[in-house]
Amino acid sequence: MKQASKEFKEVVLIGAGNLSTHLGKNLYKKGYKISQVFSKSKDSANTLSKVLKAEPITDFSRIKKDSDFYFICLKDDLISKSIKKIPTLSGIVIHTSGSVNLNVLSSKFENCGVLYPIQTFNKHIKKLSFSNIPLCIEANNEFSYSSIKELANHLSENVRDINSKQRQTIHLAAVFSCNFVNYLFEIADNLLKKEKIDISLLYPLIEQTIAKIKTNAPAEVQTGPAVRNDIKTIEEHLKLLENEKKYQEIYRLLTENIINSHQK
Amino acid sequence: MKQASKEFKEVVLIGAGNLSTHLGKNLYKKGYKISQVFSKSKDSANTLSKVLKAEPITDFSRIKKDSDFYFICLKDDLISKSIKKIPTLSGIVIHTSGSVNLNVLSSKFENCGVLYPIQTFNKHIKKLSFSNIPLCIEANNEFSYSSIKELANHLSENVRDINSKQRQTIHLAAVFSCNFVNYLFEIADNLLKKEKIDISLLYPLIEQTIAKIKTNAPAEVQTGPAVRNDIKTIEEHLKLLENEKKYQEIYRLLTENIINSHQK
């Protein structure tokens, strides 16, 4: 076993954003040695390196060659470009993206894989334990797979074997149920602000909305004017949105779809 | 005080659906006497009456005249029609709708008001305490107001004075952040099912999505391909939805709006 002789496995983080920060902190806490943090921004590399007791680097050529794991934690659209600049490595190169295929890595690296945490990360959250975050893993060979699995099991109790096609669908579903949901909260927030009402008034409703889908399929617990086909209320709502044409368009489209999908 | 001489205040429930059931159970538990349950469906009237030890009635003319409160818990589009059939009453007539104006009641009843619980009710939920549900109240006179407020305070720790215009906006915001959110969960569920993946894999993500908006405005914590303007991922997602034109249309519209509203 490649890592057997080492006491702590060594990790290089490529990227110093939200995901890299949370992943790095969780690995560090579990005893992994974070040897380097790469970022194009010197400040970002320095800041995260300090926390993780790592070496900050801003040049791809300075990535050390003998690390066990290399985590590429970059925005999806930067991954391909960055791979070209990363030197050839024998350690396991892992990306953390929901939408990028494994073959982007396997065309260059001998040992590679994916560790995609199904979670939303942002700078407002200071601490985020990985222990209950589902980690979707995939690898290009048995050695990479068993190594990534071992690391993933150290981080989380919910590790799943997910291929690139499944992962892409999970990522798409996550966009609907997290990113788009958050945008609907933004709309609600903006509407309420005009009446000087705080969105906290909706928290119990929002919590119940989540609680419901844990015991029933979402399609079974749909409520509201659309599923009741309550045309009068729908028309009143559209009228209320007369000065918010963009919100009106979203209201109309989602309502139409709920009506159609629930028509018996 | 009208009710001062009575030991338990008396309530007639008009309607025997989800809201009426939960409201009735909560009132009953707090010591209110539920004297009658009206429903056009004999079965529904009987079922709920049994639970609440009330008299089941199916004819508006049988509504007793000397009750303290009359709760109209009917679908929004049935409220106006039903009011015409309800006899003149001196007790306080209350509707529970987010979208119906108080004047629908005050044009007929001497004492009336609104008690709108900001919550989603459905038959799958057996027990639902009102204690942390925000109750929006409004009334046509001081007597009705103080009576409704007293009753509301018995049910919930979160009672708010909300006028009809504000209530309409709250209801609209609730449609965005509950009904439409649930529909996005339905889409996610359907996409995942095709890859034989259970939506429970998204629970931690969904919980975090809610947790985030409790500490920050939704607009501040938007994540995902749209807010990053990650065209490549967006295009891949649209391609994945090639055979789901309706979902593709929703993806496109919400993405466009997120991009536009977050452009600096």
Side-chain angles (χ1 to χ4, degrees), chain B:
Chain B
M1 288 281 287
K2 200 189 170 204
Q3 291 91 345
S5 61
K6 292 195 186 175
E7 196 173 346
F8 295 114
K9 283 170 191 167
E10 210 178 302
V11 172
V12 170
L13 293 176
I14 299 166
N18 299 320
L19 171 55
S20 186
T21 301
H22 290 293
L23 177 64
K25 285 180 182 176
N26 275 271
L27 286 168
Y28 182 82
K29 210 177 141 192
K30 294 290 176 186
Y32 284 81
K33 182 185 174 194
I34 315 298
S35 53
Q36 295 181 317
V37 174
F38 167 91
S39 173
K40 280 210 305 193
S41 144
K42 203 176 171 180
D43 279 355
S44 303
N46 281 337
T47 305
L48 185 55
S49 290
K50 215 170 211 174
V51 178
L52 303 174
K53 297 182 182 160
E55 176 197 9
I57 56 171
T58 56
D59 192 333
F60 282 108
S61 68
R62 292 199 46 211
I63 291 176
K64 60 183 298 205
K65 300 285 166 63
D66 61 348
S67 183
D68 301 299
F69 297 100
Y70 300 83
F71 276 97
I72 303 177
C73 306
L74 298 168
K75 288 180 186 172
D76 293 3
D77 47 348
L78 294 176
I79 294 175
S80 291
K81 276 180 240 173
S82 304
I83 287 170
K84 288 177 197 149
K85 299 178 189 164
I86 297 173
T88 309
L89 301 163
S90 60
I92 303 165
V93 183
I94 302 163
H95 81 61
T96 52
S97 159
S99 62
V100 176
N101 201 293
L102 174 60
N103 61 25
V104 171
L105 291 173
S106 57
S107 59
K108 173 158 182 176
F109 301 106
E110 191 193 333
N111 297 306
C112 60
V114 179
L115 184 145
Y116 166 54
I118 310 180
Q119 191 49 280
T120 172
F121 299 94
N122 74 83
K123 62 183 172 193
H124 297 286
I125 300 160
K126 294 291 168 238
K127 253 189 174 177
L128 187 64
S129 164
F130 270 50
S131 64
N132 81 335
I133 298 177
L135 299 180
C136 303
I137 63 166
E138 187 183 5
N140 75 323
N141 60 35
E142 191 47 48
F143 164 70
S144 302
Y145 174 76
S146 60
S147 306
I148 294 172
K149 184 152 192 170
E150 192 190 343
L151 178 143
N153 282 333
H154 284 150
L155 292 176
S156 168
E157 287 158 22
N158 195 353
V159 178
R160 311 278 186 112
D161 296 331
I162 297 287
N163 65 38
S164 286
K165 187 165 165 276
Q166 289 174 312
R167 183 160 34 82
Q168 212 179 17
T169 299
I170 292 170
H171 187 237
L172 176 60
V175 168
F176 276 97
S177 51
C178 166
N179 308 148
F180 289 169
V181 162
N182 185 75
Y183 184 63
L184 295 186
F185 293 151
E186 180 181 329
I187 295 176
D189 192 28
N190 287 339
L191 294 172
L192 290 173
K193 267 181 196 156
K194 289 187 185 167
E195 293 289 340
K196 300 193 192 314
I197 292 166
D198 195 87
I199 192 171
S200 61
L201 203 61
L202 299 184
Y203 291 166
L205 173 71
I206 290 169
E207 274 159 14
Q208 184 63 24
T209 305
I210 312 308
K212 278 198 302 184
I213 66 153
K214 290 196 173 175
T215 47
N216 294 87
E220 285 171 21
V221 290
Q222 183 67 52
T223 54
V227 74
R228 290 198 309 268
N229 214 344
D230 177 352
I231 304 298
K232 194 166 163 277
T233 302
I234 293 167
E235 278 172 2
E236 278 167 12
H237 284 168
L238 289 171
K239 208 176 143 193
L240 265 178
L241 294 169
E242 205 47 65
N243 296 320
E244 301 278 2
K245 290 290 179 196
K246 282 290 169 195
Y247 294 170
Q248 199 187 46
E249 195 182 352
I250 292 167
Y251 186 101
R252 191 173 275 126
L253 182 64
L254 292 172
T255 293
E256 270 172 24
N257 275 279
I258 294 171
I259 291 174
N260 291 335
S261 84
H262 287 268
Q263 232 156 24
K264 299 282 151 79

Side-chain angles (χ1 to χ4, degrees), chain A residues 184-197 240-241 244 247 251, chain B residues 169-170 172-174 176:
Chain A
L184 296 185
F185 293 152
E186 180 182 329
I187 295 175
D189 192 28
N190 287 338
L191 294 170
L192 291 173
K193 268 182 195 156
K194 289 189 185 164
E195 293 290 340
K196 300 196 193 311
I197 292 166
L240 266 179
L241 294 170
E244 303 277 4
Y247 294 170
Y251 186 101
Chain B
T169 299
I170 292 170
L172 176 60
F176 276 97

